[in-house]
Amino acid sequence: MASATQAAVRAIHWYQKNISANTPAKCRYYPTCSNYALEAIERFGILRGGVLAMLRLLRCRPWSRGGIDDVPQRFSLFYRYSWSKAHEEPRLTPLASHTKEMA
Amino acid sequence: MNTNTDQFLLDNGFWGWLYKLLTPVEWLMTQIMAIFHKFLTLLGMPAVGTSWVLSIIFLVIVVHACILPIFIKQMRAMRKMQALQPKMQHIQNKYKGKNDQASKDAMSRELMKLYQDNDANPAGSCLPMLIQGPVFMCMFYVLSAIEYIAKGKRAPLGAFDKATAQQFADSSNFGVNITTRFMHADTHAKIIIGIFIALMCFFMWLMQFYNMRRNLPRASMQGQQYRMQQAMTWMFPIMYIFSGLNFPFAVLIYWLTNNVCNFLRSLWQIYTFPTPGSPAAEDKEIRDHKRENARRKRAGEPSLEEEQLQKAKDDAARRETEGYQRKQPKRKKKK
């Protein structure tokens, strides 16, 4: 399982370096889908994180609103709905724990 | 393309596979045409002839009506983005000269929040354009297939069984059978089809030309890139001449109507939602000014000019009494 996670992370890094870097920035969401996927897989593992990333990709449609959409603190497939226990208001500043990871 | 008339070549190879995927759209198209055709025959039009041509035109209008809402929504989004420009600049100034990851992160977050709160998004979709491609392909496929369905060389498609396809294939417009291609036509048909191709290319060119002349900001109306764009307005219509020679007359009718519709839509777009800084936008400003004045006149309010004059007069009077120097704010006396 660990190797699958590594492979996925490497694939996303490859995508960011070789494909995403060559196209103009055009995202409806923040963080971008690839960054979201990286974080989700890192936090929840390849299966649960992968599902979150897939759902995120499906959310990028012409008529979707976009905006800030972070990986939830606790895992839930329905964290986007306000009735969900995992629901979070969009944050204007990244959490301290996240910035440490990014640096 | 059509030398071997016994076999429908579009069903082979990669394209055959692609058209197979698009079958639902093709089916829907044949149904729309057939229903409108039934309606026309109900009104007393002959089943063979102009009624089929009108059905093709009706199909174009249906397709455009489906695309229009997306189109309008996109233009609204663009307008909202323009209105948000000052606020965006405010945020960008706030993070000016900060290049560390955390600041960049925070700036993107704030911008995203702004877009989200105002229901605007910079990632406009190119969906309308993406839809038109496959739709045109389906149209081309269906109209090309009819000939073969009528001959019994291909299985029926949607509403077009052999008899309906035969009716369709027997129809003609301006004395030209609508399954004719330029390459296999007599002189009369060649002239008519030639005129259609010319009109089609002309409308395409006119749309691009008008767009460039009216809807580009004056600042970008010069230089290498502008000249490239100007050359491009000629390239596509000329390319279409060659493909037009290979298409059945029915497809040309569809295409001409489609280009006319596109042209009308872009006329309307340039009139109501011009790009800022373009000649069309300048005209719109003048138009809006006049309209506002007319509204004020009806409401009995002073016009924009009168209001400005009054303000200037007030300012002058104030200067007379108080002097030109701006007064420094005075500290309130402490009790």
Side-chain angles (χ1 to χ4, degrees):
Chain A
M1 198 53 95
S3 61
T5 309
Q6 263 179 2
V9 168
R10 220 173 288 153
I12 295 171
H13 277 307
W14 182 86
Y15 161 81
Q16 288 185 332
K17 232 176 250 166
N18 292 298
I19 298 174
S20 181
N22 297 330
T23 51
K26 46 174 183 204
C27 284
R28 313 186 144 263
Y29 286 103
Y30 183 91
T32 60
C33 284
S34 54
N35 280 330
Y36 181 95
L38 275 181
E39 205 187 318
I41 290 174
E42 204 168 297
R43 289 244 299 278
F44 298 120
I46 183 73
L47 281 181
R48 296 200 291 172
V51 171
L52 278 182
M54 282 302 292
L55 288 178
R56 168 65 174 274
L57 280 176
L58 290 177
R59 245 179 277 138
C60 183
R61 297 181 303 262
W63 49 89
S64 64
R65 250 180 104 202
I68 298 172
D69 174 25
D70 283 299
V71 181
Q73 291 296 100
R74 58 188 274 191
F75 180 81
S76 162
L77 290 182
F78 309 104
Y79 75 96
R80 293 278 293 173
Y81 298 101
S82 53
W83 47 259
S84 168
K85 271 182 191 163
H87 181 72
E88 292 161 20
E89 288 306 310
R91 282 188 294 274
L92 265 182
T93 46
L95 288 180
S97 57
H98 295 189
T99 40
K100 223 178 281 168
E101 279 169 10
M102 276 182 180
Chain B
M1 185 186 253
N2 196 27
T3 43
N4 181 5
T5 45
D6 279 346
Q7 208 194 351
F8 187 42
L9 291 173
L10 285 178
D11 268 346
N12 295 339
F14 169 71
W15 294 107
W17 176 78
L18 199 62
Y19 286 121
K20 199 103 211 161
L21 272 187
L22 292 172
T23 307
V25 185
E26 288 153 13
W27 180 87
L28 192 67
M29 280 181 157
T30 58
Q31 296 294 346
I32 291 172
M33 282 204 283
I35 286 173
F36 192 68
H37 180 255
K38 237 179 230 164
F39 174 67
L40 284 180
T41 45
L42 209 74
L43 288 184
M45 282 183 87
V48 176
T50 326
S51 53
W52 276 117
V53 177
L54 287 179
S55 305
I56 296 175
I57 293 174
F58 177 72
L59 180 62
V60 180
I61 293 170
V62 168
V63 170
H64 272 261
C66 291
I67 295 175
L68 199 64
I70 310 177
F71 198 77
I72 292 174
K73 204 178 165 209
Q74 209 175 326
M75 284 198 300
R76 291 241 170 88
M78 252 149 71
R79 230 188 191 180
K80 266 185 201 158
M81 283 297 290
Q82 280 165 18
L84 282 184
Q85 204 69 40
K87 281 185 186 171
M88 280 164 60
Q89 271 171 356
H90 183 249
I91 292 176
Q92 277 159 353
N93 280 338
K94 200 162 127 191
Y95 292 98
K96 214 176 193 174
K98 290 181 184 165
N99 286 321
D100 58 305
Q101 190 60 46
S103 305
K104 274 188 195 167
D105 212 55
M107 184 173 93
S108 325
R109 270 173 195 275
E110 265 193 64
L111 282 175
M112 260 311 165
K113 188 84 187 7
L114 181 70
Y115 298 147
Q116 199 178 4
D117 289 347
N118 291 283
D119 251 331
N121 212 305
S125 64
C126 43
L127 198 73
M129 285 213 291
L130 283 180
I131 290 177
Q132 274 192 4
V135 165
F136 181 75
M137 276 173 58
C138 290
M139 191 66 209
F140 174 61
Y141 179 82
V142 168
L143 294 179
S144 307
I146 281 169
E147 212 182 322
Y148 297 92
I149 297 172
K151 280 187 207 152
K153 304 278 187 210
R154 194 199 176 282
L157 178 68
F160 287 130
D161 49 15
K162 197 165 177 238
T164 323
Q166 193 58 53
Q167 274 184 4
F168 190 98
D170 289 339
S171 300
S172 51
N173 188 25
F174 296 111
V176 181
N177 189 289
I178 58 177
T179 52
T180 325
R181 290 158 206 261
F182 186 82
M183 294 305 187
H184 319 271
D186 54 7
T187 325
H188 169 70
K190 270 191 175 157
I191 292 171
I192 298 283
I193 294 180
I195 291 174
F196 265 72
I197 295 177
L199 274 178
M200 177 188 96
C201 293
F202 172 72
F203 272 108
M204 175 133 204
W205 174 81
L206 189 65
M207 184 180 104
Q208 290 178 337
F209 181 77
Y210 191 75
N211 238 321
M212 290 201 45
R213 273 296 166 88
R214 301 283 301 150
N215 205 25
L216 272 188
R218 282 199 195 277
S220 54
M221 277 198 188
Q222 53 201 358
Q224 186 76 33
Q225 212 181 354
Y226 181 64
R227 252 170 285 141
M228 272 272 285
Q229 271 177 306
Q230 265 180 328
M232 286 290 276
T233 58
W234 288 99
M235 213 182 78
F236 274 108
I238 288 173
M239 257 167 56
Y240 282 163
I241 290 178
F242 291 104
S243 36
L245 295 180
N246 277 318
F247 286 171
F249 191 38
V251 176
L252 292 180
I253 295 172
Y254 175 87
W255 212 344
L256 176 62
T257 327
N258 190 41
N259 283 359
V260 171
C261 283
N262 274 337
F263 176 63
L264 290 178
R265 196 185 57 194
S266 83
L267 271 188
W268 171 75
Q269 182 204 349
I270 291 171
Y271 187 80
T272 33
F273 301 98
T275 318
S278 63
E282 287 164 19
D283 285 358
K284 183 168 191 287
E285 220 162 89
I286 296 171
R287 217 165 54 225
D288 286 347
H289 187 100
K290 274 185 188 158
R291 204 168 285 165
E292 173 68 9
N293 272 348
R295 185 193 67 78
R296 285 172 177 227
K297 200 174 181 185
R298 261 182 281 119
E301 295 165 8
S303 71
L304 285 166
E305 285 83 5
E306 284 166 357
E307 197 179 85
Q308 231 170 4
L309 186 67
Q310 191 54 46
K311 210 179 160 208
K313 273 181 185 166
D314 288 350
D315 277 355
R318 196 169 47 76
R319 269 192 228 114
E320 280 303 313
T321 53
E322 300 176 10
Y324 284 82
Q325 195 81 41
R326 191 178 79 90
K327 270 191 187 144
Q328 291 293 335
K330 276 178 194 161
R331 174 178 288 179
K332 274 183 196 164
K333 270 187 182 166
K334 279 178 186 166
K335 284 170 199 167

